[in-house]
Amino acid sequence: SVRKPKRPVYAFAREMHPKTEKADIQYGTAGFRTKANKLGYVMYRMGLLAVLRARYKNATIGVMITASHNPEADNGVKLVDPHGEMLEQSWEAWATKFANVGDDQLESIIAEIIKEYNIPMTERVHICIGKDTRPSSPSLSKSVMDGVLALAGKPIDFGIVSTPQLHYFVACKNTKHAYGIPTEEGYYHKLVGAFLKLNADQRLNSSAGNSNYRNRLLYDGANGVGAKKIKQFQERLGETLKIELYNDEGIGTGKLNYLCGADFVKSNQKFPNGVPLQHNVRCCSVDGDADRIVYYFIDEDDKFHLLDGDRIATLIAAYLKELLEETGIDLNLGLIQTAYANGASTEYITQKLKVPVACVSTGVKHLHHKALEYEIGVYFEANGHGTVVFQKTAKDKLKRATGDSSLTDAQRNAAERLLNLIDVINETVGDAISDMLLVETILRAKGWDVQDWEAAYTDLPNRLMKVTIANRNVITTTNAETICVTPPGLQDEINALISKFKKGRSFVRPSGTEDIVRVYAEAATREEADTLAVEVSRKVYEMAGGIGNPPEV
Ligand code: G16
């Protein structure tokens, strides 16, 4: 039943969302991302594509309007697939095509995709739409809705929500509420309910006895949606976890992610603005759409200590392994990282925890995909973006164990605890607040504060830098981004630089969310890591067409 798309698609585009940019735009690490004023027509077209994808999958699809960690003037769009995961990669090429054709070619590209996938055009489908707090988001969301309506889909507007909340709503809708209730209330209820269950027995003695855990946390909301939504948790968590919120400036003040937030803290390895300096107190920062989180503290000598995504991953993997051992159930557990993972964390995970590690390219879509190969897959990027996914077989085994009378009480309790942990976790995608609840649960269970957590291993000093070049696409990479293929000769130069440093490691890759090249370096000492990063950055600048000022220490 392939019907010709209706002419209104073009009329809508021509009159309300005409293509304004000549240069092509590409679906990057997490969708399209650029200056907000260049995105109106792209949003409209993603509304169209979302309806086509929904009809093809016969499922609800999500569209999230956000530029996450980027500056406030940027915006972007990510499509969410039926299980709440990122858009399947084979459709990214379609997204790019849709974004770049002329207005008068829209009808024909729609006809092309309908034909290619034999998409039934009669189904009534729902598209969940969410947006972050950027001032440009309401109008861009309206553009998405026009696209949805032009192809007779039904938009469901969730208003301002975090990215992981939108992913959760999509998963709930497509599982007929088995995953949870697809409302904000349903989300808070699920996460907080599980958290309170897990922490109930220790609620009274958490700050006493021989536990180092303190139920007080300073929270940097990056002046974004993470600041708004944490208030819902503050109310519901009460005394169990006392969250003090900082960086909750109003919408449109220009402060989003500015000198604060997870990306600022991780990239600069610095304490954010707006959070009071208190020695040895646990702090965390989320990013602009609350899908990433990092922890940190300042010690009594005013030294900054970062506990990033690698630390969170190791904490979680170690705890899951411990609990699994208590249940006596054999489930295969794996951990996924990217090249940004600190060498010391990888060594700790493989050698001390004896958990297998896989390394994939940057982008949650790659990590998530790989994690699904394990019965329990923990994945985290060093920047704090990650979660845990559990196969149905794993959940079933745990459920069976809770009612198995041949097991000991201890075994059954451990299985019960694991099932509750699954409910605290947002399995669809990295979720800063869900990750925070998980970390807090584990720290409390272990009687740890950040200092105990940090003692597990010592990070190798590392440095992240950005280099601006005329065209970042001249840099291409292979081997999970660890080897630079073009421009020719650059990798040899990088290798030569690395060989001068003890424990030296460095790689370069074009960012898929910002118009820059990222450089990562680590080495045995702080000074060496800094020097290696600067030297590699200079090579990139020289050999790949650097613009502006050359990189400096
Ligand atoms: C997005 C992706 C992350 C990625 C980050 C940086 O995060 O979801 O997986 O690590 O961009 O990507 P790149 O280095 O290509 O710029 P977010 O939080 O900005 O959506």
Side-chain angles (χ1 to χ4, degrees), residues 29 33 68-69 78 287 292 381 383 509 511-513 518:
T29 309
R33 219 173 262 196
S68 193
H69 76 274
K78 322 187 194 186
D287 72 339
R292 300 195 210 163
E381 293 184 300
N383 63 23
R509 55 173 284 277
S511 161
T513 61
R518 295 197 198 281

Side-chain angles (χ1 to χ4, degrees), residues 234-251:
Q234 281 176 310
E235 271 171 32
R236 291 167 172 83
L237 293 172
E239 291 293 303
T240 309
L241 177 60
K242 290 187 263 180
I243 303 170
E244 289 173 26
L245 166 62
Y246 300 96
N247 290 330
D248 178 28
E249 292 279 341
I251 292 177

Side-chain angles (χ1 to χ4, degrees), residues 237-439:
L237 293 172
E239 291 293 303
T240 309
L241 177 60
K242 290 187 263 180
I243 303 170
E244 289 173 26
L245 166 62
Y246 300 96
N247 290 330
D248 178 28
E249 292 279 341
I251 292 177
T253 48
K255 297 280 174 65
L256 178 65
N257 298 324
Y258 183 64
L259 302 180
C260 63
D263 197 65
F264 171 85
V265 172
K266 166 69 187 168
S267 306
N268 298 289
Q269 305 188 27
K270 256 199 200 140
F271 204 80
N273 272 27
V275 180
L277 265 176
Q278 296 178 10
H279 290 148
N280 295 317
V281 173
R282 203 163 67 249
C283 308
C284 68
S285 286
V286 305
D287 72 339
D289 63 345
D291 58 4
R292 300 195 210 163
I293 186 166
V294 294
Y295 273 77
Y296 47 90
F297 69 97
I298 294 272
D299 69 19
E300 56 278 7
D301 301 322
D302 287 331
K303 190 170 172 253
F304 176 77
H305 298 249
L306 177 68
L307 293 112
D308 61 6
D310 300 339
R311 294 279 181 177
I312 298 176
T314 48
L315 181 77
I316 296 173
Y319 189 62
L320 290 177
K321 195 168 181 217
E322 235 173 83
L323 276 183
L324 277 176
E325 277 162 12
E326 279 176 41
T327 64
I329 302 172
D330 187 27
L331 292 175
N332 88 61
L333 169 73
L335 198 143
I336 324 298
Q337 299 186 314
T338 70
Y340 291 108
N342 196 281
S345 77
T346 315
E347 197 179 297
Y348 173 75
I349 300 158
T350 46
Q351 297 183 10
K352 198 81 192 279
L353 300 182
K354 309 250 183 269
V355 171
V357 172
C359 179
V360 300
S361 297
T362 300
V364 160
K365 57 192 180 195
H366 300 296
L367 289 103
H368 190 96
H369 194 73
K370 187 75 188 171
L372 292 173
E373 290 177 13
Y374 299 86
E375 282 176 295
I376 302 180
V378 181
Y379 71 82
F380 265 89
E381 293 184 300
N383 63 23
H385 205 162
T387 188
V388 190
V389 288
F390 299 82
Q391 293 299 318
K392 189 172 177 304
T393 53
K395 291 179 186 172
D396 288 346
K397 280 185 201 167
L398 291 171
K399 270 182 212 145
R400 268 203 305 278
T402 57
D404 184 344
S405 54
S406 70
L407 299 180
T408 63
D409 281 353
Q411 285 177 309
R412 279 198 300 269
N413 288 342
E416 184 73 44
R417 192 160 172 86
L418 274 165
L419 285 170
N420 280 324
L421 279 177
I422 296 175
D423 278 344
V424 163
I425 295 168
N426 185 344
E427 287 182 81
T428 63
V429 77
D431 181 331
I433 296 180
S434 149
D435 289 337
M436 176 197 82
L437 295 177
L438 181 59
V439 166

